[in-house]
Amino acid sequence: MRSPIRSALVTTIARCWRTARDERENAQNCLYALLRPVGLDVLAPVFDSLFSMYESALGRPIATGRRGSASADERLVLGMLDGTRPRRDCLQCDAGRASALDCAICSTRIMLTLAIDDRRRMAVL
């Protein structure tokens, strides 16, 4: 089952990334600024890579939603991250892009879990 907190976090990150790209800013800097106050700044390059690979696999810019409602692209990436929507079943692209996106999805899952677990441990100390 998808965590509402993780879903909101990933959606917020996607929108930050999209805005930075549209405004021709450094996406990692924007993500770092967004994530630093909550102690998850280590995830900036992870999500930059994920969304770059996702956009490449889509063959078009990622469409993000507005105020609350997730776009189809945001729902798809959330499903790929939580495993409910395997990439191979819902997104067709050449083998190189598929492999890169699959690696980015796995890396993001691992890093997101580690960063959140680490954050929880630090709160206990």
Side-chain angles (χ1 to χ4, degrees):
M1 179 177 261
R2 184 176 297 163
S3 159
I5 294 170
R6 271 193 198 198
S7 295
L9 175 66
V10 172
T11 301
T12 300
I13 292 168
R15 293 172 186 184
C16 176
W17 185 87
R18 174 81 273 142
T19 299
R21 296 286 295 250
D22 289 347
E23 295 176 1
R24 303 204 189 293
E25 294 179 16
N26 183 306
Q28 282 193 31
N29 288 346
C30 294
L31 294 175
Y32 179 84
L34 173 72
L35 295 167
R36 187 170 192 278
V38 293
L40 298 174
D41 45 299
V42 69
L43 297 175
V46 174
F47 277 103
D48 183 35
S49 177
L50 173 67
F51 289 120
S52 294
M53 295 301 115
Y54 182 39
E55 192 166 87
S56 177
L58 285 172
R60 61 171 172 74
I62 296 168
T64 55
R66 307 251 187 245
R67 295 193 185 108
S69 296
S71 70
D73 288 347
E74 290 168 333
R75 287 190 305 274
L76 178 55
V77 79
L78 287 166
M80 288 187 293
L81 285 172
D82 71 16
T84 61
R85 308 238 2 235
R87 192 262 329 137
R88 68 187 170 282
D89 293 348
C90 51
L91 184 61
Q92 301 302 312
C93 55
D94 65 64
R97 289 181 181 159
S99 179
L101 180 56
D102 288 343
C103 286
I105 291 166
C106 287
S107 294
T108 303
R109 286 177 183 157
I110 292 165
M111 290 301 296
L112 187 56
T113 299
L114 289 173
I116 290 173
D117 286 351
D118 197 39
R119 182 86 173 110
R120 285 184 187 140
R121 275 192 299 277
M122 293 305 289
V124 172
L125 299 177

